[in-house]
Amino acid sequence: MSLGGDDSLAAIFRRLIASTGPISLMHYMGEANARYYNSRDPLGSAGDFVTAPEISQMFGELIGLWLADMWINAGREAPIHYVELGPGRGTLARDALRAAKRYGLEPSIHFVEASTALKDVQLATIPGAQWHHDLSTIPLYGPILFVANEFLDALPVRQLVKTPDGWRERMVVPEGDRFVCVAGPQPMGPVVPEARRDAPDGTIYELCPGAAATVYEVAGRLMEQGGAALFIDYGHDAPRHGSTLQAVRAHLKVDPFLNPGEADLTAHVDFSALAPIAQSRGARWIGTVPQGRWLRELGIEARAQALAAAAPQHAAAIQTAKDRLISEGQMGLLFKVMGLAGPGWSGGAGFVG
């Protein structure tokens, strides 16, 4: 109970730190995003950011065709489940399932979503969906088609910094009207991969336990039940050092350490760390490729031409949307697509060639 006090997350953090000491960056990011997503619909031009499904129906349609192709190659198994992690407004699911239905794929629909605000929007878009807080309540029978678009980037990251005294976790403390990171007291060397431990002082090693756990669980389900998965996010497919933490509000980058809970905090996804995790469970890693290349391989340029021919008045907008999704200077190179599959699920268009 606040008893009339300041209920902003910044004030809560200040009281907590004054009482118990610095908090980890992972704690800071997790609490900030929990408040942010539970309080609003952040998507679209009126929100804070725009995701690929909101840019063009072509994005979701091609995902639906990819899923249908994988399902057909596997023998059209039934029953089958479509599971989307962080489904936003349900736009991707709507477009993907519409395209997949043309090829006979009509799965049960499951959304893993924690935001109450977004659930209301999803209900209007996909009335037949079932909601889950996490993967534990997803059906334990039948193959699963997983889709996670811009889901992993919002999971809290841990950051370790190399100091003259060794590796330490980056902790958060108040300084003036914002927060800053300082090195914690506990040695953290064993957490850092051996190949990275001799880095120069000041080096930051960033990892995401939530992303690792998610991919581990998805890969396990694919092994047990069959199916395929697509993880689409901005990130890198080779190991890197440095902080990638950023904040976006009203489509502009803002200070992630000012007004926590009022902006979307994200970090780049380290796909190079996730593929081995999936493989450790026996799942097939189909590959990790740039989004632009993947969409081109799946035929986005031909699809854009067909849409423009059907609606000439929208041709310019369709061309702009296509370019935004595949151009290297926009989403085409920074965003990556990682594909996984279970036993007996062959193929994987867009990852070879």
Side-chain angles (χ1 to χ4, degrees):
M1 182 178 294
S2 68
L3 297 178
D6 187 348
D7 280 333
S8 71
L9 189 56
I12 293 171
F13 278 153
R14 288 174 187 276
R15 294 195 292 267
L16 175 64
I17 294 168
S19 174
T20 63
I23 59 174
S24 69
L25 177 67
M26 188 164 72
H27 182 172
Y28 176 90
M29 183 177 176
E31 293 291 338
N33 273 355
R35 175 170 288 211
Y36 174 78
Y37 280 102
N38 280 331
S39 63
R40 72 202 74 202
D41 172 6
L43 298 165
S45 58
D48 290 328
F49 57 89
V50 176
T51 60
E54 307 293 333
I55 293 171
S56 171
Q57 70 185 67
M58 295 182 287
F59 184 78
E61 289 173 345
L62 292 174
I63 288 174
L65 295 178
W66 189 89
L67 296 174
D69 183 60
M70 293 293 288
W71 173 69
I72 291 167
N73 286 338
R76 300 176 182 265
E77 293 187 55
I80 187 166
H81 315 288
Y82 173 91
V83 176
E84 188 170 344
L85 310 180
R89 291 176 167 174
T91 306
L92 190 159
R94 180 194 64 202
D95 295 338
L97 293 168
R98 182 182 66 245
K101 187 177 181 179
R102 298 203 300 267
Y103 297 89
L105 175 57
E106 296 187 69
S108 64
I109 305 164
H110 303 267
F111 288 159
V112 177
E113 180 61 75
S115 168
T116 303
L118 285 173
K119 281 181 183 177
D120 293 338
V121 181
Q122 294 158 10
L123 178 63
T125 307
I126 310 287
Q130 302 174 56
W131 278 266
H132 306 263
H133 183 71
D134 55 38
L135 291 173
S136 65
T137 55
I138 298 297
L140 295 170
Y141 59 88
I144 303 176
L145 301 172
F146 288 99
V147 176
N149 179 64
E150 293 197 51
F151 173 77
L152 298 178
D153 66 87
L155 299 179
V157 294
R158 256 183 119 173
Q159 289 184 354
L160 309 180
V161 60
K162 180 70 176 299
T163 74
D165 298 319
W167 288 94
R168 299 290 188 267
E169 183 153 16
R170 297 189 88 200
M171 310 296 285
V172 174
V173 297
E175 183 179 274
D177 63 354
R178 64 192 293 272
F179 294 86
V180 296
C181 283
V182 297
Q186 297 298 321
M188 300 298 293
V191 178
V192 180
E194 190 171 350
R196 300 191 184 197
R197 288 180 191 168
D198 292 333
D201 289 352
T203 299
I204 294 173
Y205 170 55
E206 190 175 79
L207 63 159
C208 184
T214 299
V215 170
Y216 185 84
E217 187 168 357
V218 166
R221 287 296 194 103
L222 294 179
M223 286 302 296
E224 293 165 7
Q225 297 173 236
L230 289 173
F231 288 93
I232 305 169
D233 230 309
Y234 60 89
H236 44 273
D237 54 8
R240 291 185 184 177
H241 288 305
S243 172
T244 67
L245 181 68
Q246 67 178 28
V248 174
R249 184 174 185 181
H251 304 274
L252 297 173
K253 288 189 176 181
V254 297
D255 185 346
F257 294 105
L258 193 65
N259 301 320
E262 297 301 317
D264 177 40
L265 299 187
T266 64
H268 287 208
V269 176
D270 183 0
F271 285 101
S272 69
L274 298 179
I277 291 171
Q279 291 172 310
S280 76
R281 308 251 11 214
R284 180 168 67 97
W285 172 56
I286 305 172
T288 302
V289 298
Q291 176 178 291
R293 170 182 154 184
W294 191 76
L295 290 172
R296 282 191 181 94
E297 291 283 339
L298 265 63
I300 191 171
E301 289 163 320
R303 179 58 177 152
Q305 289 179 351
L307 287 173
Q313 69 276 24
H314 298 302
I318 292 167
Q319 177 69 26
T320 298
K322 181 204 71 177
D323 289 343
R324 188 169 177 185
L325 291 171
I326 67 174
S327 293
E328 290 193 357
Q330 300 196 54
M331 300 176 74
L333 188 59
L334 177 60
F335 280 71
K336 307 294 190 296
V337 184
M338 182 174 78
L340 305 175
W345 284 66
S346 61
F351 290 97
V352 180

